[in-house]
Amino acid sequence: MREIYLDNNATTKVDEAVFEEMRPYFCELYGNPSSMHFFGGQVQGKVVEARNRVAGLLGASPEEIIFTACGTESDNTAIRSTLEVLPNRRHVITSRVEHPAVLTQCRNLIQKGYRVTEIGVDGEGRLNMDEYRAAVDDDTAIVSLMWANNETGVIFPVEEAAALARDKGALFHTDAVQAVGKIPIDMSSSVVDMLSISGHKLHAPKGIGVLYVRRGTPFRPFLVGGHQEKSRRAGTENAAAIIALGKACELAAAHMPFENNQVKAMRDRLQESLLAAIPHSRINGGGAERLPNTLSIAFEFVEGESILMLLSELGICASSGSACTSGSLEPSHVLRAMGVPFTCAHGSIRFSLSRYTTEAEIDGVIRELPPIIERLRQMSPFGREFLKAQA
Ligand code: PLP
């Protein structure tokens, strides 16, 4: 069965050119980039090139790039580091809709005596800026707010939030795992102090991430040991994956217009066609500024998990909320924070497109999904009531 892969916010296909770039660094050029000999040196040269390429996508300086193992490590490092460098500040701010990589860590800090404020969002998933303005104070060590939400694609005003944090002497971190490669980001004109990236969300392999740390930002490493990454992240560099990420960032910059025009147009067509074909459907975050590739859509009186199973039987891959929370029967914490009614939150699914998505694949979903929803509504007691009322 040929798959229709519309789950790119969970992970992406490794670009063939990215794979070719990393291929020699397993069996041929496998030297340790820290070695003194020529064999390690040639790998080191490619790591330098990769660092430049990542910095290029972000408008950053190469020395502001720290390679990590994943987005989760980058998020954890940013928060832990700040609490160590600002020990007298005991307040942490985040939002209710963060990825668990941030939210779980912040909630764990409560047991350690920190005051943690989770800023709410409105019905469209937009950050409550009044609540944020009132929360940030002289005791705040770090604010960690995501650039774009993985479930709805809703974009937060991180620059405005970062400026407010800076006014209070707090550091500002953003989880930009879903934003980097999809929308332009320019750290040279930004006041954000730290930013997380994950390779597997932008057509590089799994197991590679980046923490951007602005020059001059006080920092303590999370992993200590060797002197890799200028002693900011110990552990032998995953050279092949770093080289792959460098190439992926270069390609992401080149494909940015395609992402924001063609991919967005396909997402919009999918959205409008499904809304027109399926009664009692609504877009989660549809009124907010969103990533060009993400569509979170709710169908009343059906179970998201059942929709996903039936789509999967037809080779269509989508998701209900985050890959990390699927499997639990609770509606996603993001949709709950947005106040999406229970009947809608349960029947929400996310389609996330990429530059590999085709018009034919979108046609496939537009054709297959409406009868699936109708069938499921006929099977459920609530759905039958609903269909009777419609008749
Ligand atoms: N942050 C966001 C917004 C994500 O979507 C994800 C992955 O789904 C992560 C962090 C975690 O990244 P990684 O899988 O590289 O640890």
Side-chain angles (χ1 to χ4, degrees):
M1 179 165 55
R2 181 89 182 93
E3 80 281 359
I4 296 181
Y5 186 76
L6 295 175
D7 200 11
N8 287 280
N9 286 9
T11 200
T12 57
K13 167 192 159 93
V14 174
D15 190 298
E16 313 272 337
V18 167
F19 182 60
E20 287 310 319
E21 189 93 3
M22 79 187 290
R23 187 204 285 272
Y25 296 88
F26 288 99
C27 301
E28 295 153 50
L29 302 170
Y30 52 82
N32 186 324
S34 299
S35 296
M36 293 301 288
H37 46 67
F38 79 97
F39 197 58
Q42 52 197 4
V43 183
Q44 177 60 19
K46 283 295 284 186
V47 169
V48 169
E49 180 188 61
R51 201 182 301 281
N52 289 336
R53 285 171 162 175
V54 175
L57 177 66
L58 297 179
S61 299
E63 66 275 12
E64 294 175 317
I65 303 301
I66 302 175
F67 290 112
T68 64
C70 55
T72 301
E73 184 192 324
S74 302
D75 288 345
N76 274 256
T77 304
I79 297 170
R80 281 172 187 241
S81 163
T82 304
L83 298 181
E84 281 191 38
V85 298
L86 299 175
N88 296 328
R89 291 177 173 241
R90 307 291 294 172
H91 182 215
V92 172
I93 299 182
T94 187
S95 83
R96 287 175 64 195
V97 298
E98 297 297 310
H99 187 274
V102 167
L103 209 45
T104 307
Q105 202 197 358
C106 289
R107 288 180 180 165
N108 288 347
L109 289 171
I110 299 170
Q111 275 97 59
K112 296 194 172 139
Y114 287 92
R115 190 161 55 89
V116 175
T117 306
E118 293 178 17
I119 307 296
V121 295
D122 70 8
E124 298 292 341
R126 289 177 292 232
L127 192 73
N128 185 331
M129 284 303 282
D130 290 337
E131 202 180 315
Y132 173 61
R133 254 181 235 106
V136 61
D137 60 22
D138 296 335
D139 191 36
T140 307
I142 183 161
V143 177
S144 181
L145 294 172
M146 65 202 322
W147 200 302
N149 188 270
N150 45 304
E151 294 188 27
T152 59
V154 171
I155 295 170
F156 276 174
V158 284
E159 291 301 343
E160 193 186 340
L164 287 163
R166 182 167 280 203
D167 283 350
K168 297 287 179 188
L171 292 184
F172 189 91
H173 164 254
T174 182
D175 175 340
V177 161
Q178 293 293 345
V180 170
K182 294 177 187 143
I183 52 173
I185 287 181
D186 180 16
M187 299 313 285
S188 71
S189 60
S190 163
V191 289
V192 167
D193 297 300
M194 288 175 282
L195 172 145
S196 301
I197 303 184
S198 171
H200 73 103
K201 310 289 186 182
L202 63 146
H203 305 289
K206 296 159 188 66
I208 182 70
V210 163
L211 179 63
Y212 159 92
V213 180
R214 181 174 298 286
R215 192 188 290 119
T217 305
F219 182 79
R220 292 278 184 286
F222 179 26
L223 291 187
V224 291
H227 295 299
Q228 293 89 355
E229 299 298 287
K230 297 203 164 87
S231 297
R232 293 174 301 176
R233 199 274 186 182
T236 300
E237 299 89 337
N238 184 354
I242 289 172
I243 291 163
L245 179 59
K247 183 68 183 171
C249 286
E250 189 184 72
L251 292 173
H255 287 112
M256 193 79 71
F258 187 84
E259 191 83 33
N260 285 278
N261 294 301
Q262 282 89 334
V263 174
K264 180 174 182 301
M266 280 191 277
R267 188 277 309 269
D268 290 345
R269 185 164 78 84
L270 178 62
Q271 171 173 315
E272 296 317 317
S273 305
L274 294 180
L275 283 177
I278 304 173
H280 286 253
S281 52
R282 49 172 270 182
I283 307 303
N284 298 316
E289 196 193 348
R290 273 180 303 162
L291 293 175
N293 79 318
T294 307
L295 171 60
S296 171
I297 183 163
F299 306 106
E300 267 192 287
F301 313 115
V302 271
E303 281 282 330
E305 305 294 325
S306 315
I307 307 171
L308 292 182
M309 269 169 49
L310 294 179
L311 284 175
S312 180
E313 281 172 13
L314 299 170
I316 300 170
C317 310
S319 109
S320 62
S322 134
C324 312
T325 50
S326 61
S328 99
L329 288 175
E330 280 289 296
S332 103
H333 71 288
V334 175
L335 301 182
R336 271 184 292 149
M338 289 165 68
V340 173
F342 200 73
T343 48
C344 286
H346 258 298
S348 286
I349 58 173
R350 177 190 71 189
F351 295 103
S352 44
L353 288 60
S354 81
R355 60 181 186 252
Y356 291 101
T357 305
T358 65
E359 297 285 356
E361 290 177 327
I362 297 298
D363 289 340
V365 179
I366 293 170
R367 191 177 55 243
E368 302 293 354
L369 188 52
I372 287 179
I373 303 293
E374 166 126 32
R375 205 171 118 198
L376 289 172
R377 280 180 178 161
Q378 266 157 4
M379 282 162 65
S380 93
F382 286 127
R384 275 199 301 273
E385 285 303 310
F386 162 74
L387 288 171
K388 225 187 285 163
Q390 295 283 300

